[in-house]
Amino acid sequence: MRIHNIQDEQVLGAALMVLGLSLGGAAATAALLATVHMAQTGPMCGPTLGHCFRCVAACALLLTAMSTAGAGASLMTSRRAPCPAS
């Protein structure tokens, strides 16, 4: 028999949403640093020669933040019925 606790899923979903929001803040900071770096180095970094680690890190953090927050939201909204007692 499998016990299914909806409250535990909602707590985990809320924690994942908070983690996603904090990763979103880190992504915004990384994007700001990448923008400043591209403005300072000009033609050395950007659309002409490809992007450096700062741009890639900002994109990776953004994707991680969105997927983590999405997983948390799906856990918080799932309303599965408990397994019937056998």
Side-chain angles (χ1 to χ4, degrees):
M1 181 171 112
R2 184 174 171 206
I3 298 174
H4 189 73
N5 194 347
I6 294 175
Q7 271 186 330
D8 288 344
E9 275 192 8
Q10 289 179 343
V11 169
L12 178 61
L16 285 173
M17 293 271 305
V18 169
L19 178 63
L21 289 174
S22 63
L23 285 172
T29 304
L32 181 63
L33 291 173
T35 304
V36 169
H37 172 71
M38 282 193 289
Q40 287 177 350
T41 58
M44 291 176 53
C45 182
T48 56
L49 294 174
H51 295 282
C52 65
F53 177 72
R54 288 178 180 95
C55 298
V56 174
C59 291
L61 278 170
L62 179 64
L63 289 175
T64 305
M66 289 181 2
S67 63
T68 304
S74 70
L75 278 176
M76 287 182 69
T77 60
S78 69
R79 301 278 187 226
R80 294 185 219 148
C83 296
S86 301

